[in-house]
Amino acid sequence: MPSNLDLVVTAVATQLMAADAATSPQVSQKVLADLVDHFELDFSFLRYNDHNIRASKLIAEWPVRANVPDPDPIGVVYFADADPVFALAEHAKEIHVFRPEPATDEFRQLIEKASGISASTVAAVPLVSGDVTTGVLGFVKYGDREWLPDELNALKAIASLFAQVQARVAAEEQLRFLADHDDLTGLYNRRALVAHLSARLAPGQPGPVSALFFDLDRLKTINDYLGHTAGDWFIRALADRLREWSEAPSMIARLGGDEFVVVPAEPLDTEAAEALAYRLQSALRERVPIEGEMLTRTVSIGVALGIPGRDTTSDLLRRADQAVLTAKNAGGNEVAVFTDDMSLKSEFRNDIELHLQSVIENGSLVLHYQPEVDMRTGAILATEALVRWQHPTRGLLSPDAFIGVAESINLTGELGRWVMRAACAQFARWRAKGVGLDTVLRINVSPVQLVSDGFVESVAGIIDEFGLQRDSVCLEITESVVVQDIKTTRFTLAGLKAAGVQLAIDDFGTGYSVLSHLKSLPVDTLKIDKGFVRELGENPGDLAIVRAIIALAEAFGLQLVAEGVETEAAATTLLRHGCFRAQGFLLSRPMPGDQMESLLAEGRIPVHFSATPSV
């Protein structure tokens, strides 16, 4: 038959088995009460070690002390300041029994101060998990008490049970933390944000509730060119700044790699919320040192307000999202406050979709062209065909206004074929007149076209139909499209290359790096995304990335074209670092076909900048 001590251990195991993170302190107190009663003790306690701060924390005790001093002298005991007896609990692996002796006077005085206990016998039983001492069970008897070996073995078994509960509780708390927090920054995640906003927007709660939606501009490029460790460091630095500058105790959540939401704790009107957004934007603009570079990213912020009892969480977040999209569409680095006018975007989209269905049949599509120039001489090296739509009521629309809708209604393939035929036809007419004989025609390719069956044959057929040399045509594929389906992309590009067509990766560096695949892709040209070019000469972070792309192009023997050259500072910086081919408003804006023909006939445009900085 089991001994009395075995029954005690079994009873403790039964009670602790049902304990979880919420009930553990109460269950532990009940177990201590039973043990005090069984072993005829005067006091018992459970303490957990916090090795991060090197301290022992009181979790439960029995009996509960009355008139506990504030602060409790034994609530948190730091090992560095503890007397030798308490200090043993940091790493002890075996039971220690302290009986009344002069050497333990300091320890007895501390116990007496906290609990009124005079000379006592203390059994300190460590909680051990693997090689780590996670806490201690303490059993106190006034005066002297001898602990028998069987009793100590029972206490050791009970301590093991407490250690298991402690580990289970820690795991539950970690899971609960991970469920509500972003693992990289420690900020709240979307789940926690939604729960918080749902509570704040409940009827009867104070309002309005403001939400600030942050979307950083080109944050992922840091990962691509400086490494993921540097990118993660940048994100953590950003999170720290949000914590520091937000009005405490704000809810701060990270929704994704470059998206964050701040919900101020206090009700703010529109003006106050917008002012907070500008303060946070200023803080986030400060440079961050990463691997010897001082980097910064601009941030777009959308501000929206919700009224408790009227608006839902989805209402508020949708408005904030619409506001931040407005800020980004304005060029980024902006703060936009949601207005009812933003809702008109939905109406605009419906209008676009309604008329886009017949856009090819009614002949309302036109092509404009933007030259690619050698900035050293002004010679026109290529021209890029850019589709425009002459909308019946809204005038001439750029692709940004309708390509997204075209993708949603599966019209991009048909649009792409029209552009290919129209551009090749016009290019052939120019060449028949002896114009543009030394230039290349660049045509953008949509993701749908790239994965369509027979695309290679279609391209080759169109080029041959108009009598063009195949290497006079260059197809441009955006970097993000390349990596969406790298296997299919590699196969299609190989087919196009075999057919003699030139290939370029457009918008290179926008955050979907193809570095690991570049050596196996048969491309001829990299086009640096305009986002890295606009601020050249002013932004050292952009310069670091552009220099990396230039070096990459040189290493792979690829042509390099800079897009978005709008300032002389950008042009001279590019020239100084060995990038000579460029497009941008500084050189020429897109123009109708007849104007492009005249420009090609001239053969060059005037340039008045050089790689040598002025003195």
Side-chain angles (χ1 to χ4, degrees), residues 213-217 258-260 298-301 324-325 328:
F213 197 121
F214 294 73
D215 194 330
L216 272 79
D217 304 320
D258 56 2
E259 293 183 340
F260 301 81
T298 56
V299 60
S300 301
I301 306 177
V324 79
L325 288 176
K328 292 187 75 68

Side-chain angles (χ1 to χ4, degrees), residues 36 113 216 224 257 293 400 413 466 469 476 555:
V36 165
K113 178 181 178 182
L216 272 79
D224 296 332
E293 301 284 353
D400 290 342
F466 293 103
Q469 294 175 310
E476 297 190 357

